[in-house]
Structures are given as C-alpha cells and as structure tokens.
Amino acid sequence: MPLDMVSWGTMLAEAQTELVQGKWWQLATATAFMATFVTAFALLTDALRDALDPKLR
C-alpha cells in the first residue's frame, strides 16, 4: 500500500493482524488518537452550539 493511502482504517487493520504477534501498542495508539479526535470534535460542537444558539441566551 502506498504511503499516501494511510488512514485510521488501515492502521487498525494492520494492528489487528500484528496484535497476535504481541504488538499491542499499534492498536492502542490508533485507538487513543481516534478517542482524542472524537472528544475534541464533541467539545467543539458543544462550544459552537453554546455560542450560536439564540435560545440559550
């Protein structure tokens, strides 16, 4: 696979096959990055709603 085709899906798929070999840190890293991204996105949308919703004022 070319380097320009890297995604979280490919990271998880490769980590899943290498998990049997004891390389758990690849799966943990991908999971931590995705959890951080989802949390940051949720906080951003909450802040935008607080700032832009006229019913909350």
Side-chain angles (χ1 to χ4, degrees):
M1 174 171 288
L3 290 177
D4 60 347
M5 298 293 293
V6 175
S7 69
W8 283 335
T10 56
M11 284 177 62
L12 289 174
E14 290 176 9
Q16 185 178 10
T17 59
E18 294 178 357
L19 187 61
V20 177
Q21 299 172 353
K23 297 181 181 178
W24 58 269
W25 60 88
Q26 293 175 348
L27 185 62
T29 303
T31 303
F33 276 113
M34 288 191 340
T36 303
F37 177 76
V38 169
T39 303
F41 187 74
L43 291 173
L44 174 70
T45 56
D46 284 344
L48 283 174
R49 180 171 183 245
D50 290 345
L52 300 175
D53 192 0
K55 293 180 183 177
L56 294 176
R57 292 180 184 182

